[in-house]
Every structure is written in structure tokens, then in C-alpha cells.
């Protein structure tokens, strides 16, 4: 079959599939149609369009009129009394009315296909809600089918069974009774239901209306009997087990009871509650247990919505038909309760569940009604359970677990699903008594109804523009009331069963959420998240930002993710629950292109985020130059108070890139095509990223459009632009081969015996005449290093803080001062003073005698005049001086930079996992950009994974 097989739940489901074939379209013979016989067979299963009465009212009434109507209405009134019985019906119908409003709202939200409640809810709300509700609805139908089978067995044994005491009162009591005999009868009835569902389900479906007429006729005779039958004495059935006390003073059970006709005394005797033991299970009854049995007569309200694909006008029929059926059953149940309370002794109601047949104008009428309605309901629930299971299997929400349930016969009957459903029904039959499983069935249905109300509430709260049902007689208040009502009654009935059912449903929801494949149905969770995120983003006021709550919000510029996996994963660690955006610039002009080339790339980037298991957003832009593209992203990335405050760039060098996505299950090996473009057929299914360039090209790892030459001038200009926009800047070098797992697990044979270190150099090494470590940039370095150390996987790493000192300065004083600062900042680190007189000497040799003499003269003048600055003033001046590129930095010699580089390497014993270095501002003179970049390159030569960091805003405080 090429069309979608409908999920059919109740009576008319099969009949509509087995309707008469229709003729071909006008002007075409059947053999001319595409698909040949398959098309003709599909046409034969085309459903007839049903009216409100046949499509909604009849299935709903037959689902609600069954065991409770004929076998338990006296049980309810006898134990609870008329007042509490009416209160139970009011509570039950309040709950289902709230749910009916939600079902009507969902069913009228657009055009409906066949598929029933599961299909409707899953397509409207997504696989999480649909799958979990579908499983719970499946279990509810399985248990409901078993409940109706047990009700039928109870009616058969009551009529034709030999009492356990062996005293036969009529000639047709020939069937042996007892637990195992009842189980045998129930098994036989279940096999009959299985046979009909496997072979002749259409026979049952065609008899639906006949069954409905029989039930209505029997109901009419029952109502007439209360007025037409004279008072009589009725022999009561004996309890299933009775063990009197040895002295004979134990409880005695009456053997007869009276049908009094309409009497005031009878009514007054039945008004109040009179809970006693259930004579079939010997368990003490109470409000909750009686309600659990009674509520089974209120289920089946979704029968009409399950016929959605077979109705002439579903949006019109479902609300009106369902509400009509609910009102009619409510009136009948309450009318019967009043009639029973006015005419029957309480003992009769408590001790004989089949008393209606004894007071009927003709004894067999009620027997026929009970047998037809319960057998019909049992088959209906079995068919419905199998169709729900088949639909779940078709949707692949649970993978291979349910794959056998997809198999169907040539006629489209899901026979494997029917067998599985029957097997589960047979397991439930071992409970033995209707009242035993009534609580479980009721809790399952209550949970399903609560889930439907919750789903409708979620749609309403999500404020999705496409949720505009034509049925408007509901609000979020009705949904909440329905949820509360279902939850309260679930826990009143049985708190343990209710808790276990809710936990099971939540587990199903989480499993489907994390394990099921992506569907095209739409996810209500995404709509809710969007609604809440938008609301909280509007509440996030940037004017209320405080340094105490600062966190890094990173924009990482990525050229080709194939060579940037190490950097992407490392920055994910350092973001500290902040905003993380992967940015990418593609060069081009939209005026010359037929469409936006970036739209087709988003899926690959999002698949990369999922594959690397990082928490990041993706932002792509098209620009005429890399510099302009980065400016675009810095200007537009983020929303409201969630905007990037830190720009991370890969370093500009000649390192050979390495494809870190090769070998991945989602990636293929890169092509050796020198153009950097691999053929479309060789592209991986999810990662459509271009192959890496050869080593001869200048590589800019992780920041810009691959295959485009980015000059050093433009690269440094990007750094300068970011600082002008008050963005912190991080340059990452040697992260092309970075592997966090290897970095955090050094070999035990290493000098540090497997210890992990993070080195921090908070001094501007391009300013040999300054040793300040308390300026904004230095504190930013300390903050990022501390944040990295707070990440779970980096907590075992040790921070090493290197303090550069010159001869003539107090080493101990500087170390104590820095230690006190770290203590106030709550940063745990080891301080290592590093003398660098030799390196500073190399710098001053380059400056010439004038610069050196001027430096000494200034120092002697300051000492002679006693104009020693206060520490705070000195730090403030140095801060201003450091953040402006010093003129002498342009005359730094290669010897000095190489010496500082060797000093850093010499201090790294054992080698750290990553280094944090101070990044000075680029020079104001753009002609010196190349020299600036060369100095950074010499400074960080062969240092391993290194971050050059420049901070422009305060990010740390000692205040509480």
C-alpha cells in the first residue's frame, strides 16, 4: 500500500477500511491507472465518509456503555451511597469534560488525517509527547480489553456457573467456577477476540450499529423495568470464599435481598455511604477504589477523534459528537443511580452485581446487553491497542524494538501487532477479577487524559501562530483544571501505581527525546523553549550587568572545522556556561549570486556541533572581505544581553593543517585536489566542508575562509577592530593538533608524574620596562585561567603563575603582594618568580645609549627629588601606558624575543597543557602591523597550545 495506513482505535475503524470499492476517475479505465492492482486494492480500502452520529456518537457511546452500565452501577451506589455516587460522576465527568475540550481543540486545529488520538497528538506536538502518550494509551487499551473480558466472564459465571458451595438453584448453572476455571473462560474469550481481529475484524465492524441498537434497546428495558416490575425478593450469590469463625459468631452474609420498588425508606437508606467488603475480592472498599471501578465507564471519549480520517467534516463532527455522547452518558448514569437508590435494598446493590437481570421485565435482555457490550468493548480495545502499536512501530520511535510490529497481511491487517496486544491482554487476565485491575486501567486512562491536557496547555502557552483551533471553548485554565483533576484522582486511587506510571511515562519521554531520530512533525518543546527564551531575553537588561556576574561570551571565528576541532572543543571548556558562537565568513557578493550560499551550510555546521557534543550556536555571514565579515558578526551576533564579549581567532602562521574529522562516522577523507574542492559525490553526508589546503599555502587555522589568502595587515586590523569595539581578544596558536584527552592525561613517566599544568604569564612580555600584573589585561588572563580550572575535566590541573622580576626589586615583596591578590580573588595558583635581567638587557642594548641614559636619568631624578609614586598611582599609570602600544616595542630585537621565548620554555618543566600569555594592543601606526605580528610569532614559537589574551573590560572583583 502506498498510502499511510490509518491508526484505527474503535468500532467503525475496520468497517471503513473494508468498504465497497470505488470506481476509477472518469475517462480512465482501471487498468490505465498507475500502480495497477495495487491502486485498485487501495481504492477498495478507501473509507466511506461518516456522519456525526455514525462516526462519533456511536463509537463513543459503545466505548462508555459497557461493564459499568450493566454490572457496576449498583456496586457504586451500594457502597458509596447516592450522594457520593453522584459526586463521583460529577468529578469523573469534570475530568473528562476538561479533557474533551482539549481533544476537541487539538482535533480542530487544521486538516486531520486518519490515525486516531496517537497520530493526532504526535503530529501536533512532536514525537516526545506523541510516543509517550501512545505507549500509555496502548497499555490502557490492553488493560481495558482484559477488564472487559473479565467483566464478561463474571457475567457468564454469575448466570451459568455452579456456585462454589455446590448449591445449584437453576437448571442452566452447569459451568464449574473458581479462579482457574474463570481464567480458562477468559482465555477462551480472548482467543475469540484474537480470531476475529486476525481473520474477520470486518465482520465485527459491520455489526457495530447492530450492537449499538441492542445496547440501547436493553437500556430502554432496564429503565422501563424500574416502573413495570413489581417488588420481589432476589436470591443473592454467595461470596467467592467464606471462612466463618469456629464459635459461629463471625460475620454472616445475607442470602436474599429485596427489590422494593419506589419507596422513600429505600431512598433514605441508600443516600449515605456504606462501604463494606467487595464480595468478589474480599477487599474493603472506599471512595477511591469505588471511583476506580466507576471511572472505567467514563473512558472512551477519544473514540470519535480516532475516526478523524473517516469523517465527512472532522473539525465539525468531533466536538459536537463527543460532547453529545458525554452529555448523554452522564444523564443515563445519574438517572440509573437515582432509580437504583429508590428501588433496591442496599444489600442487593452490595451483594449482587448482576441484579439488573433479576429485576428486568425479561431475564435474558440484560444478559444479551452485557454479553454484547462487553465483548464489543473487549474487541474494540484489542483492535485499538494493535493499531496504536502498529503506528508506533511505523514511526520508528523505539528503533528495532518494535520493528516486528510493522508486519501486515496482504489486506493490511497488522497481525504481529494484534498478536503482541493479545499476549499482553492474556498476561493481564491472570489478575482474575475485574475490580483488581480496575485501578490500573483507571490510572492509565487518567494519565493519558492528563497528558492530552498538558499537550493542549503547552500549545496554548507556546502561542504558536499555527495553533488556532476552530473549537474555542477552552482556555489554559480548563487544561490546568483537567491536569489537576487527573493527578489528584490518580494519587487518591493508588499513589504507588500513579507514581510508577508517571515515572514510566517521563522515562519514555526522555528516551524518545534523546534516542529517536529527528522527525518532521514539529516539536512542542522547541516552541515552548522559544517562547520562554524570548521572554527571558527581554528581561535580561544590559544596564543591570555587574562585574560579579561576568562570564565569557565567545565568538570563535572558524575557517574550516576540519582543522579546528581542537580549538572548538577547548573554547567550549572555557566559556563557563556563557554564550558560545561559531562564526564563519564566506567571501562573496549576494548581488552576483542566484541565492544565499550559506543556507545550505547550516545543517552541516549544526551536525558538527552535535557531533562534537558542544553547546554552541552557529552564525555565518557573507561579505566582500574577511575583515568586514568579522565586523558583521561582532555587530549582529547574539540578542539583547547575550552578545559576544570575547573574540577568539586562530593564529596567523604557516603550520600545516590536519584534518581532525577524518575517520569520523560522519566524515570522509579529504581530497588531495589542489584546488581545495572535492567532488560533490565525495562529500560526507553531514559535513559538507571543503578539503584542507596544502602546506604551501599560508594557513590561518580556525578563523577565516579556507582557500582565501588573508594578509597579515588585514589579520592585525581585525584584532584592532575588535578592541575598538571593546571586545576582548584571544589568539590561539598550536591548537590544530590539540587533543583534550591527551592533554589531560600525560604519560606517568613525564617529569611531573602525570600532573597537568596550566601556565599563566600575566606580564606584558613586549614591555620589558613594565612588570605590572594588576592591569585590566592581566586580571583578564587570571580570570580565564581560573574559569578553565573550574571546568570539571580541568579541575585536576594546577595553575602556575610566573612572575617576572628584575634585579634591584624585592622578589619576596612582589611574590607576597601577588599571593595576597590571588587570595582576595579566590584563585588557587602556584607562584614562580622568574628573573629576566638577561632578557631585559638584550632589549636595552637595542635601544642605544640615549634610551638607556634617559631611563637611568629619569630614575635618578625621581630618587633625588623624593617623588616616589604611590603604588596605586604607579599601577594606574602603568595600566594606561600598557594599553597603548609603546613606541619602544617597535624596536624589540629578534634576540630579545627569542630569549624570552627560551625563558618561557625553560620554565615549563614539565610542559603545561596550555599557556596563557599577555597580548598587547596593536600599534596605532598600521604600517607596523606586520612587525607586530612577527613579534607575536617569535614570542610564541614552539610553545605548544598557547592563548594570547587581551582584556579591555574589568571582569573580576574582590567584593562579595
Amino acid at each position: 500500500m502506498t498510502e499511510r495506513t490509518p491508526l484505527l482505535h474503535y468500532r467503525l475503524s475496520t468497517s471503513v477500511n473494508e468498504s465497497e470499492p470505488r470506481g476509477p476517475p472518469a475517462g480512465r479505465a482501471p487498468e490505465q491507472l498507475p500502480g495497477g492492482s495495487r491502486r485498485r486494492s487501495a481504492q477498495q480500502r478507501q473509507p466511506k465518509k461518516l456522519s456525526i452520529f455514525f462516526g462519533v456518537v456511536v463509537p463513543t457511546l459503545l466505548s462508555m456503555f459497557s461493564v459499568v452500565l450493566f454490572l457496576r452501577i449498583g456496586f457504586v451506589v451500594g457502597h458509596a451511597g447516592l450522594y457520593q455516587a453522584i459526586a463521583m460522576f460529577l468529578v469523573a465527568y469534570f475530568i473528562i469534560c476538561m479533557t474533551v475540550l482539549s481533544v476537541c481543540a487539538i482535533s480542530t486545529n487544521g486538516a486531520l488525517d486518519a490515525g486516531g488520538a496517537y497520530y493526532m497528538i504526535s503530529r501536533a506536538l512532536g514525537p516526545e509527547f506523541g510516543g509517550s502518550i501512545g505507549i500509555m494509551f496502548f497499555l490502557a487499551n490492553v488493560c481495558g480489553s482484559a477488564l472487559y473480558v473479565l467483566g464478561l466472564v463474571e457475567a457468564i459465571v454469575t448466570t451459568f456457573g455452579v456456585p462454589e458451595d455446590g448449591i445449584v438453584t437453576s437448571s442452566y448453572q452447569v459451568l464449574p467456577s473458581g479462579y482457574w476455571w474463570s481464567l480458562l473462560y477468559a482465555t477462551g474469550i480472548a482467543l475469540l477476540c484474537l480470531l476475529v481481529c486476525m481473520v474477520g475484524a470486518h465482520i465485527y465492524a459491520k455489526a457495530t450499529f447492530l450492537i449499538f441498537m441492542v445496547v440501547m434497546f436493553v437500556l430502554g428495558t432496564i429503565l422501563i423495568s424500574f416502573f413495570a416490575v413489581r417488588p420481589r425478593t432476589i436470591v443473592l450469590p454467595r461470596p467467592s470464599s467464606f471462612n466463618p469463625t469456629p464459635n459461629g459468631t463471625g460475620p454472616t452474609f445475607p442470602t436474599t435481598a429485596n427489590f422494593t420498588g419506589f419507596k422513600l425508606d429505600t431512598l433514605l437508606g441508600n443516600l449515605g455511604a456504606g462501604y463494606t467488603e467487595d464480595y468478589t475480592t474480599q477487599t474493603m472498599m472506599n471512595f477511591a477504589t469505588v471511583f476506580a471501578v466507576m471511572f472505567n465507564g467514563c473512558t472512551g471519549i477519544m473514540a470519535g477523534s480516532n475516526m478523524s480520517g473517516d469523517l465527512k467534516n472532522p473539525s465539525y463532527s468531533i466536538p459536537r459528537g463527543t460532547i453529545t455522547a458525554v452529555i448523554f452518558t452522564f444523564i443515563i448514569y445519574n438517572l440509573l443511580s437515582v432509580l437504583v437508590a429508590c428501588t433496591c435494598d442496599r444489600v442487593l446493590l452490595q451483594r449482587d452485581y448482576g441484579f439488573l437481570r433479576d429485576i428486568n421485565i425479561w431475564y435474558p435482555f440484560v444478559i444479551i446487553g452485557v454479553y454484547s457490550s462487553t465483548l464489543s468493548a473487549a474487541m474494540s480495545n484489542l483492535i485499538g491497542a494493535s493499531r496504536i502499536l502498529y503506528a508506533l512501530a511505523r514511526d520508528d520511535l523505539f528503533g528495532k524494538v518494535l520493528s516486528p510490529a510493522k508486519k501486515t497481511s496482504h489486506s493490511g491487517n497488522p497481525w504481529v501487532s494484534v498478536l503482541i496486544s493479545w499476549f499482553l491482554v492474556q498476561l493481564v487476565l491472570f489478575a482474575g477479577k475485574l475490580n483488581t485491575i480496575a485501578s490500573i486501567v483507571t490510572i492509565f486512562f487518567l494519565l493519558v487524559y492528563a497528558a492530552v491536557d498538558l499537550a493542549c496547555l503547552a500549545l496554548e502557552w507556546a502561542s504558536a501562530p499555527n495553533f488556532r483551533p476552530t473549537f474555542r471553548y477552552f482556555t489554559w485554565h480548563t487544561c490546568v483544571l483537567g491536569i489537576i483533576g487527573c493527578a489528584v484522582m490518580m494519587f487518591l486511587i493508588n499513589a504507588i501505581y500513579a507514581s510508577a506510571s508517571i515515572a514510566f511515562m517521563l522515562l519514555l519521554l526522555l528516551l524518545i527525546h534523546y534516542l529517536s531520530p529527528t522527525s518532521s512533525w514539529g516539536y512542542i518543546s522547541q516552541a515552548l523553549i522559544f517562547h520562554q527564551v524570548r521572554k527571558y531575553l527581554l528581561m535580561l537588561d544590559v544596564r543591570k550587568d555587574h562585574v560579579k556576574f561576568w562570564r565569557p561570551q565567545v565568538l570563535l571565528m572558524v575557517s574550516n572545522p576540519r582543522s579546528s576541532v581542537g580549538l572548538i572543543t577547548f573554547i567550549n571548556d572555557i566559556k563557563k556556561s556563557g554564550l558560545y558562537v561559531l562564526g564563519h565568513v564566506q567571501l562573496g557578493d549576494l548581488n552576483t549570486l542566484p541565492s544565499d550560499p550559506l543556507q545550505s551550510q547550516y545543517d552541516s555546521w549544526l551536525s558538527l556541533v552535535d557531533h562534537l557534543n558542544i553547546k554552541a550556536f552557529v552564525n555565518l555571514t557573507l561579505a566582500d572581505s574577511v575583515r568586514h565579515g568579522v565586523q558583521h558578526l561582532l555587530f549582529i551576533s547574539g540578542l539583547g544581553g547575550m552578545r559576544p564579549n570575547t573574540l577568539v581567532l586562530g593564529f596567523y602562521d604557516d603550520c600545516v593543517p590536519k584534518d581532525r574529522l577524518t575517520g569520523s562516522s560522519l566524515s570522509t577523507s579529504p581530497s588531495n585536489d589542489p584546488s581545495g574542492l572535492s567532488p560533490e559525490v565525495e562529500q560526507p553526508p553531514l559535513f559538507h566542508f571543503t578539503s584542507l589546503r596544502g602546506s604551501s599555502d599560508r594557513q590561518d587555522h580556525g578563523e577565516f575562509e579556507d582557500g582565501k589568502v588573508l594578509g597579515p595587515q588585514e589579520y592585525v586590523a581585525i584584532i584592532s577592530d575588535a578592541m575598538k569595539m571593546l571586545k576582548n581578544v584571544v589568539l590561539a596558536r598550536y591548537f590544530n593538533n590539540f587533543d583534550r584527552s591527551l592533554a589531560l592525561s600525560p604519560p606517568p613517566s613525564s617529569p611531573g608524574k602525570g600532573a597537568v599544568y596550566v601556565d599563566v604569564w600575566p606580564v606584558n612580555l613586549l614591555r620589558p620596562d613594565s612588570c605590572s600584573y594588576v592591569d585590566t589585561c592581566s586580571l583578564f588572563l587570571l580570570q580565564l585561567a581560573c574559569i578553565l580550572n573550574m571546568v570539571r575535566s580541568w579541575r585536576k590541573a594546577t595553575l602556575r603563575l610566573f612572575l617576572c622580576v628584575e634585579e634591584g626589586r624585592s622578589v619576596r615583596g612582589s611574590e607576597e603582594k601577588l599571593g595576597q591578590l590571588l587570595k582576595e580573588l579566590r584563585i588557587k595558583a602556584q607562584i614562580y618568580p622568574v628573573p629576566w635581567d638577561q632578557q631585559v638587557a638584550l632589549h636595552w642594548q637595542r635601544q642605544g645609549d640615549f634610551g638607556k641614559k634617559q631611563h637611568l636619568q629619569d630614575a635618578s631624578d625621581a630618587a633625588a627629588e623624593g617623588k616616589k609614586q604611590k603604588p596605586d598611582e604607579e599601577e594606574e599609570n602603568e595600566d594606561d601606558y600598557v594599553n597603548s602600544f609603546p613606541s619602544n616595542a617597535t624596536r624589540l630585537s629578534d634576540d630579545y624575543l627569542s630569549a624570552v621565548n627560551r625563558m618561557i620554555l625553560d620554565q615549563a618543566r614539565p610542559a603545561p597543557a596550555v599557556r596563557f600569555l599577555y597580548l598587547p594592543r596593536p600599534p596605532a601606526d598600521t604600517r607596523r602591523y606586520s612587525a607586530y605580528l612577527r613579534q607575536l610569532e617569535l614570542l610564541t614559537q614552539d610553545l605548544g597550545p598557547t592563548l594570547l589574551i587581551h582584556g579591555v573590560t574589568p571582569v573580576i572583583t574582590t567584593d562579595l
Side-chain angles (χ1 to χ4, degrees):
M1 256 182 22
T2 56
E3 80 254 34
R4 181 185 291 109
T5 302
L7 167 64
L8 302 171
H9 180 56
Y10 286 104
R11 288 140 178 85
L12 298 182
S13 56
T14 312
S15 64
V16 294
N17 279 343
E18 301 294 336
S19 57
E20 295 298 325
R22 300 190 208 177
R28 298 185 67 180
E31 60 273 9
Q32 294 176 328
L33 294 174
S37 61
R38 182 175 61 181
R39 174 63 60 87
R40 289 195 298 273
S41 64
Q43 288 179 347
Q44 290 176 356
R45 288 189 291 273
Q46 283 292 329
K48 293 180 179 179
K49 295 302 181 180
L50 302 173
S51 63
I52 295 178
F53 182 75
F54 290 102
V56 182
V57 177
V58 170
T60 305
L61 286 178
L62 282 178
S63 297
M64 301 180 74
F65 279 158
S66 56
V67 175
V68 173
L69 178 66
F70 296 109
L71 296 180
R72 287 298 183 270
I73 193 70
F75 163 82
V76 174
V77 177
H79 286 281
L82 181 61
Y83 290 152
Q84 291 193 18
I86 294 177
M88 287 182 184
F89 283 113
L90 289 174
V91 171
Y93 273 83
F94 173 79
I95 293 173
I96 67 170
C97 283
M98 297 300 101
T99 306
V100 164
L101 296 180
S102 299
V103 170
C104 294
I106 298 176
S107 63
T108 59
N109 185 41
L112 293 180
D113 195 357
Y118 160 70
Y119 178 85
M120 178 177 60
I121 295 173
S122 63
R123 266 52 178 185
L125 307 179
E128 302 106 325
F129 272 99
S132 55
I133 293 175
I135 288 291
M136 300 309 297
F137 206 18
F138 165 72
L139 295 177
N141 278 274
V142 166
C143 295
S145 179
L147 180 139
Y148 295 131
V149 169
L150 292 175
L152 180 55
V153 170
E154 180 182 298
I156 292 174
V157 171
T158 302
T159 305
F160 300 102
V162 177
E164 293 186 1
D165 57 8
I167 301 176
V168 178
T169 58
S170 62
S171 60
Y172 43 81
Q173 290 181 322
V174 295
L175 297 178
S177 59
Y179 171 78
W180 292 106
W181 284 107
S182 297
L183 180 62
L184 178 62
Y185 304 149
T187 302
I189 295 172
L191 286 173
L192 175 63
C193 295
L194 173 65
L195 182 64
V196 172
C197 294
M198 293 287 288
V199 181
H202 60 285
I203 300 175
Y204 156 74
K206 290 181 179 179
T208 299
F209 182 68
L210 178 61
I211 295 174
F212 173 74
M213 295 302 297
V214 170
V215 171
M216 290 297 104
F217 175 77
V218 173
L219 177 60
T221 63
I222 291 174
L223 296 176
I224 294 173
S225 298
F226 286 107
F227 299 91
V229 175
R230 294 181 178 181
R232 63 180 61 175
T233 300
I234 299 172
V235 178
L236 300 178
R238 278 188 173 273
S240 58
S241 63
F242 172 51
N243 297 317
T245 58
N247 58 9
T249 60
T252 59
F253 296 93
T255 58
T256 61
N258 297 319
F259 171 72
T260 64
F262 289 93
K263 285 188 177 181
L264 181 60
D265 292 340
T266 304
L267 175 61
L268 294 177
N270 289 326
L271 290 179
Y275 295 106
T276 185
E277 285 188 353
D278 175 20
Y279 79 95
T280 61
T281 61
Q282 282 72 54
T283 57
M284 188 65 187
M285 293 290 101
N286 54 43
F287 184 91
T289 54
V290 174
F291 179 86
V293 175
M294 182 276 302
F295 191 79
N296 288 285
C298 304
T299 58
I301 59 174
M302 294 186 183
S305 60
N306 285 333
M307 305 304 300
S308 57
D310 307 313
L311 300 173
K312 293 180 181 178
N313 190 346
S315 298
Y316 179 86
S317 301
I318 290 176
R320 289 164 176 80
T322 304
I323 293 175
T324 300
V326 167
I327 294 175
F328 181 75
T329 56
F330 177 75
I331 294 173
I332 293 298
Y333 279 134
N334 282 278
L335 178 60
L336 282 177
S337 298
V338 173
L339 294 176
V340 164
C342 292
T343 58
C344 300
D345 284 343
R346 171 156 294 200
V347 175
L348 176 62
L349 301 179
Q350 293 177 340
R351 299 296 176 185
D352 188 2
Y353 295 159
F355 75 98
L356 287 178
R357 71 179 182 279
D358 297 319
I359 67 172
N360 200 270
I361 54 177
W362 190 52
Y363 189 88
F365 277 158
V366 175
I367 297 177
I368 295 172
V370 170
Y371 292 177
S372 59
S373 64
T374 51
L375 186 62
S376 169
M379 289 184 184
S380 170
N381 279 267
L382 182 59
I383 293 173
S386 64
R387 295 323 192 258
I388 293 172
L389 184 62
Y390 174 67
L392 287 167
R394 284 282 302 271
D395 289 337
D396 286 325
L397 296 183
F398 297 92
K400 296 181 179 179
V401 176
L402 297 181
S403 57
K406 297 180 183 179
K407 296 182 180 179
T408 60
S409 63
H410 293 292
S411 61
N413 185 30
W415 61 274
V416 177
S417 296
V418 173
L419 284 175
I420 295 174
S421 303
W422 166 81
F423 177 74
L424 294 177
V425 169
Q426 184 62 47
L427 291 180
V428 179
L429 290 178
F430 281 93
K433 296 295 182 182
L434 184 151
N435 289 6
T436 305
I437 63 172
S439 298
I440 300 175
V441 177
T442 299
I443 286 175
F444 277 155
F445 275 107
L446 282 171
L447 186 59
V448 171
Y449 294 162
V452 173
D453 287 323
L454 180 62
C456 189
L457 177 66
L459 279 173
E460 180 70 10
W461 277 357
S463 300
N466 284 321
F467 182 65
R468 44 181 184 271
T470 56
F471 182 85
R472 296 303 303 171
Y473 299 100
F474 82 101
T475 65
W476 67 268
H477 305 85
T478 61
C479 300
V480 170
L481 289 175
I483 295 171
I484 295 174
C486 291
V488 169
M489 293 313 304
M490 283 172 58
F491 283 94
L492 284 179
I493 292 170
N494 193 307
I496 297 177
Y497 289 166
S499 301
S501 300
I502 293 174
F504 180 63
M505 182 175 173
L506 292 177
L507 178 62
L508 287 174
L509 194 148
L510 292 176
L511 285 175
I512 298 173
H513 178 74
Y514 288 107
L515 300 181
S516 69
T518 303
S519 73
S520 59
W521 307 346
Y523 293 81
I524 186 61
S525 57
Q526 296 299 305
L528 288 173
I529 290 171
F530 178 88
H531 185 266
Q532 292 303 110
V533 167
R534 180 192 64 84
K535 180 174 71 175
Y536 287 117
L537 275 176
L538 292 173
M539 296 171 60
L540 190 60
D541 192 344
V542 295
R543 295 169 295 183
K544 299 179 181 178
D545 286 345
H546 194 279
V547 67
K548 288 190 298 185
F549 306 110
W550 180 91
R551 65 181 71 237
Q553 303 195 78
V554 181
L555 171 62
L556 170 64
M557 298 304 302
V558 179
S559 165
N560 193 329
R562 294 185 179 277
S563 61
S564 306
V565 172
L567 180 57
I568 293 173
T569 54
F570 178 79
I571 298 301
N572 184 66
D573 287 338
I574 211 171
K575 71 180 187 303
K576 185 56 179 176
S577 302
L579 178 66
Y580 185 21
V581 180
L582 299 181
H584 175 75
V585 178
Q586 179 167 327
L587 299 185
D589 186 358
L590 198 58
N591 289 331
T592 62
L593 297 173
S595 62
D596 183 6
L598 301 177
Q599 297 303 317
S600 60
Q601 300 181 23
Y602 274 101
D603 284 345
S604 292
W605 285 86
L606 295 177
S607 299
L608 174 74
V609 170
D610 294 337
H611 177 66
L612 297 180
N613 194 25
I614 61 175
K615 298 178 180 179
F617 300 95
V618 175
N619 209 344
L620 313 179
T621 188
L622 188 71
D624 57 352
S625 69
V626 174
R627 181 180 182 184
H628 289 164
V630 176
Q631 289 177 0
H632 294 169
L633 293 179
L634 287 175
F635 277 124
I636 67 173
S637 292
L639 284 174
M642 294 189 67
R643 291 184 177 276
N645 55 33
T646 303
L647 174 67
V648 180
L649 307 173
F651 199 77
Y652 190 93
D653 57 18
D654 293 314
C655 291
V656 178
K658 181 180 179 180
D659 193 340
R660 297 296 303 278
L661 292 179
T662 304
S664 163
S665 61
L666 300 176
S667 178
T668 58
S669 300
S671 173
N672 294 324
D673 186 358
S675 65
L677 299 174
S678 56
E680 184 66 25
V681 294
E682 296 181 6
Q683 292 298 307
L686 294 179
F687 293 159
H688 296 277
F689 302 122
T690 56
S691 301
L692 298 176
R693 292 171 295 161
S695 59
S696 60
D697 291 328
R698 192 163 182 81
Q699 177 65 24
D700 43 334
H701 297 298
E703 73 275 26
F704 301 117
E705 176 62 23
D706 198 69
K708 303 295 182 180
V709 176
L710 178 69
Q713 197 78 7
E714 186 177 4
Y715 178 80
V716 179
I718 292 173
I719 301 173
S720 179
D721 292 342
M723 294 181 183
K724 292 177 183 178
M725 299 168 67
L726 295 181
K727 306 293 183 183
N728 310 299
V729 178
V730 178
L731 306 183
R733 191 174 190 188
Y734 296 120
F735 276 88
N736 52 332
N737 293 321
F738 179 79
D739 190 326
R740 185 179 65 175
S741 59
L742 295 178
L744 294 176
S745 302
S749 58
S750 60
K753 296 183 179 181
V756 180
Y757 295 97
V758 175
D759 289 359
V760 182
W761 295 76
V763 177
N764 185 358
L765 297 176
L766 299 189
R767 272 290 311 275
D769 57 341
S770 173
C771 295
S772 174
Y773 51 82
V774 291
D775 63 3
T776 299
C777 188
S778 298
L779 294 179
F780 187 80
L781 259 73
L782 293 176
Q783 179 77 318
L784 287 189
C786 180
I787 288 173
L788 180 65
N789 198 213
M790 294 169 67
V791 178
R792 181 185 300 274
S793 55
W794 288 88
R795 285 178 184 173
K796 63 179 180 179
T798 302
L799 294 184
R800 296 190 299 191
L801 193 59
F802 294 95
L803 177 62
C804 296
V805 294
E806 294 184 53
E807 184 180 356
R809 295 201 177 191
S810 174
V811 176
R812 181 175 298 274
S814 300
E815 185 175 355
E816 290 179 353
K817 186 177 180 181
L818 182 57
Q820 180 63 29
L821 176 64
L822 294 179
K823 183 178 180 180
E824 293 177 356
L825 298 178
R826 291 90 62 199
I827 298 176
K828 186 178 179 180
Q830 298 177 0
I831 301 176
Y832 293 88
V834 179
W836 69 328
D837 296 87
Q838 295 180 358
Q839 290 77 16
V840 174
L842 290 174
H843 167 68
W844 290 119
Q845 288 177 6
R846 173 67 183 267
Q847 304 307 310
D849 293 338
F850 175 80
K852 185 175 180 180
K853 291 179 180 179
Q854 186 65 37
H855 177 70
L856 296 175
Q857 183 65 36
D858 293 342
S860 61
D861 292 343
E865 297 178 6
K867 296 181 179 179
K868 184 177 181 180
Q869 294 176 317
K870 297 180 181 180
D872 292 343
E873 294 178 355
E874 181 181 359
E875 292 170 2
E876 182 178 357
N877 293 339
E878 287 183 348
D879 190 5
D880 296 338
Y881 189 50
V882 167
N883 283 316
S884 61
F885 190 79
S887 58
N888 60 3
T890 60
R891 296 189 293 273
L892 291 174
S893 65
D894 292 351
D895 293 339
Y896 166 75
L897 295 171
S898 299
V900 173
N901 177 261
R902 288 193 300 271
M903 177 185 70
I904 296 174
L905 288 173
D906 292 341
Q907 297 298 323
R909 296 293 184 271
V914 65
R915 288 182 174 88
F916 289 71
L917 299 184
Y918 193 114
L919 174 67
R921 281 182 176 271
D925 189 350
T926 58
R927 293 172 299 179
R928 298 174 181 171
Y929 279 178
S930 297
Y932 169 80
L933 187 58
R934 172 173 169 75
Q935 291 168 1
L936 298 180
E937 186 174 1
L938 290 175
L939 179 66
T940 57
Q941 188 72 34
D942 299 325
L943 291 185
T946 303
L947 296 180
L948 288 161
I949 302 171
H950 185 89
V952 297
T953 55
V955 297
I956 203 166
T957 179
T958 58
D959 296 335
L960 180 63

